[in-house]
Amino acid sequence: MTPSFLHRLARVNPTTAFIGALVLLLAGLFLPGIVGALLLGVLAAGLAALTFTTWPVQSGITRAVRLVLLSVLVAAVVAKAL
């Protein structure tokens, strides 16, 4: 990721980011089959990118929570795809 992308990402309003992620999560959970799985997969990819980009500056508990949430999200993608 380029530094300009990270600077733009840092300027995103946290409320907007939360609402966007919530809409994506709910759409992924309520849409049927592969469409829902794809939306949840996009959300999981974004969470994975954010987790591993910020890994060096996060505390141990934050790392653990993010890994657990990422695992649950990936499990939801697999369950939705089946």
Side-chain angles (χ1 to χ4, degrees):
M1 291 188 192
T2 63
S4 63
F5 173 74
L6 294 177
H7 286 111
R8 279 196 328 244
L9 188 60
R11 288 192 307 256
V12 171
N13 183 347
T15 304
T16 303
F18 174 77
I19 291 172
L22 182 63
V23 166
L24 195 59
L25 175 68
L26 292 175
L29 290 174
F30 288 114
L31 286 173
I34 195 71
V35 175
L38 285 174
L39 290 176
L40 291 175
V42 167
L43 188 60
L47 179 59
L50 182 64
T51 296
F52 295 115
T53 301
T54 60
W55 189 265
V57 296
Q58 299 300 321
S59 66
I61 190 70
T62 303
R63 290 176 181 174
V65 168
R66 285 190 178 182
L67 288 176
V68 167
L69 289 174
L70 185 58
S71 300
V72 169
L73 192 53
V74 169
V77 170
V78 171
K80 192 78 167 172
L82 296 178

